[in-house]
Amino acid sequence: MRNNHFNLIRMLLAVGVLLCHCFPLTQGDNVFDGEPWFDFTLHKRILGTTCVLGFFILSGYLVSQSLERSSSLWTYLRARALRIYPAAIVCAVITAIVLGALGSDQDPVDYWRSPGLGRFIIDNVTLSKRVISRSIPGAFVDNPIPHVVNGSTWTLPWELLCYVLFIPFGLALYRSQQVSLRKAFLLLLVGLALAASVEYALGIIPGRLGRPVTFFGFFAIGVLGRIALPRLQLGSRATLLGFCALLLIARTESLVPSLAIAAPFLLGFVLLSAATQLPARWLAYNRIGDFSYGLYLYAWPVQQSIVHAMPGIRPWTLFATALPTTLLFALASWRFIEQPALRLKTREVPEAAGWEPSEASR
């Protein structure tokens, strides 16, 4: 059993995304009236985005650990693919073929002939586009957000991109013998994290650079946290103070936007330090399994199906209904797809040529 709380924290973030989506899914696209974090931040932030960025921070921490410990670059890439693709592929097929058809007023044959169905499946199976298909004509046509079968999976290509972009950083930090090269890549990570924090607070990066800088910058915060936090050795009181500071910034940043530059670092500090400081008895959660990814994948299509079956349902009623229902899908995904795929990560694979860990990383 793991001796940290990353599984639990990721699960809470996934629940936060599900809760946030209950509001636009029942009220209309981009309508977040009554969403708790949206109200608390005076309509500056939404809970779903905050939780997604938290996922990228945790991913930076855990993926950097994966790369450092991998015996070869192939091992690393194989492990990342096994974590993301099997569950995403099954989810894409189930949501498109089954849930989308059940949520359509069309004849199933007509729905399955829909021109957007094949594109949706291909995009969501391959995850090869930065902007993948979310909609299928004919699905959930009378819902407040019509046609959108899964509005959450758009982040997965960005997650995969972070895995690839981190490779040269990992090679420099964990495999290079040159101190100057390690310092250079470390400073670059700091610069990217700062750029993402400025973009988060002020939104000043032009064009299409804002999103990749934000995602990889938050990923970099996780990597930096893994390097820095063990050296700081701060206790639970510091974590609590960091959490209070994060809440204060979230409440007041609409008045002083530049305050939010510190928020991504505080979020990273709180999430990563909490992973080792929550009560030890809560570690029992790790015996249950890791349902966060399945919950994230299936939440939106399950919510859309419930809204289709119960027109006029309110956000909190949808949350109370969708959470246990989605947990059933997440449990099945973990038990029959994700867990067997993760077992394949432990099999011996040939080492890639030229991959020799430095003495410092062994």
Side-chain angles (χ1 to χ4, degrees):
M1 183 178 71
R2 291 184 176 185
N3 61 349
N4 59 59
H5 300 279
F6 280 108
N7 282 352
L8 177 59
I9 292 172
R10 287 188 299 192
M11 187 64 177
L12 293 175
L13 293 177
V15 171
V17 173
L18 186 154
L19 172 60
C20 177
H21 287 163
C22 287
F23 293 85
L25 284 171
T26 55
Q27 299 175 140
D29 200 9
N30 292 318
V31 179
F32 294 92
D33 295 344
E35 197 262 80
W37 190 241
F38 184 65
D39 288 347
F40 180 80
T41 61
L42 304 179
H43 301 179
K44 185 71 175 180
R45 306 288 175 186
I46 60 173
L47 184 60
T49 299
T50 303
C51 290
V52 164
L53 294 175
F55 273 126
F56 275 84
I57 291 173
L58 297 182
S59 182
Y61 184 103
L62 296 170
V63 170
S64 67
Q65 185 179 72
S66 173
L67 181 54
E68 182 179 15
R69 294 178 178 179
S70 293
S71 60
S72 70
L73 184 57
W74 167 247
T75 304
Y76 165 77
L77 292 172
R78 187 171 182 266
R80 295 302 92 220
L82 286 170
R83 187 65 188 101
I84 294 294
Y85 275 104
I89 289 171
V90 173
C91 178
V93 173
I94 290 177
T95 54
I97 302 297
V98 180
L99 296 180
L102 291 175
S104 174
D105 291 332
Q106 297 179 349
D107 180 89
V109 175
D110 293 334
Y111 168 81
W112 289 325
R113 289 175 177 172
S114 172
L117 182 64
R119 183 166 59 88
F120 176 92
I121 293 175
I122 291 172
D123 283 357
N124 285 269
V125 164
T126 62
L127 300 176
S128 58
K129 295 182 179 179
R130 286 180 301 168
V131 181
I132 61 176
S133 301
R134 303 189 308 158
S135 305
I136 301 175
F140 308 118
V141 291
D142 296 322
N143 285 17
I145 302 182
H147 310 302
V148 181
V149 177
N150 199 331
S152 299
T153 53
W154 70 273
T155 64
L156 298 185
W158 293 104
E159 177 85 3
L160 290 170
L161 181 62
C162 286
Y163 296 167
V164 175
L165 291 177
F166 182 65
I167 290 174
F169 291 88
L171 291 175
L173 293 173
Y174 308 136
R175 297 298 190 268
S176 176
Q177 303 285 354
Q178 300 180 28
V179 175
S180 59
L181 184 63
R182 293 202 297 267
K183 288 183 177 179
F185 272 87
L186 185 60
L187 287 174
L188 183 55
L189 277 176
V190 172
L192 288 167
L194 286 171
S197 299
V198 172
E199 173 64 11
Y200 173 85
L202 306 176
I204 60 175
I205 296 179
R208 298 180 179 180
L209 284 176
R211 186 166 283 176
V213 168
T214 297
F215 284 140
F216 193 68
F218 274 76
F219 188 93
I221 289 173
V223 179
L224 294 170
R226 181 167 175 258
I227 296 171
L229 287 180
R231 292 174 170 83
L232 296 177
Q233 295 183 342
L234 300 174
S236 57
R237 184 174 298 177
T239 305
L240 182 60
L241 289 174
F243 180 65
C244 292
L246 181 64
L247 292 179
L248 180 61
I249 290 173
R251 183 66 175 179
T252 60
E253 69 164 305
S254 59
L255 303 175
V256 188
S258 59
L259 286 175
I261 294 175
F265 291 96
L266 285 170
L267 178 63
F269 171 68
V270 170
L271 291 176
L272 296 177
S273 58
T276 58
Q277 293 175 4
L278 292 175
R281 62 181 179 275
W282 292 5
L283 291 170
Y285 175 82
N286 290 331
R287 297 195 185 99
I288 301 174
D290 183 5
F291 306 136
S292 58
Y293 186 40
L295 190 77
Y296 183 81
L297 287 175
Y298 285 96
W300 183 289
V302 168
Q303 289 169 288
Q304 282 282 60
S305 299
I306 293 172
V307 172
H308 173 79
M310 303 172 64
I313 189 173
R314 303 306 302 158
W316 286 100
T317 306
L318 176 60
F319 176 72
T321 308
L323 180 57
T325 306
T326 309
L327 277 173
L328 295 177
F329 282 87
L331 190 153
S333 178
W334 171 253
R335 175 66 179 84
F336 299 111
I337 308 299
E338 297 169 60
Q339 198 173 36
L342 291 176
R343 291 195 188 105
L344 297 176
K345 290 167 57 176
T346 62
R347 293 185 179 179
E348 290 294 326
V349 294
E351 293 199 8
W355 183 273
E356 291 295 336
S358 67
E359 291 296 327
S361 67
R362 287 178 178 172

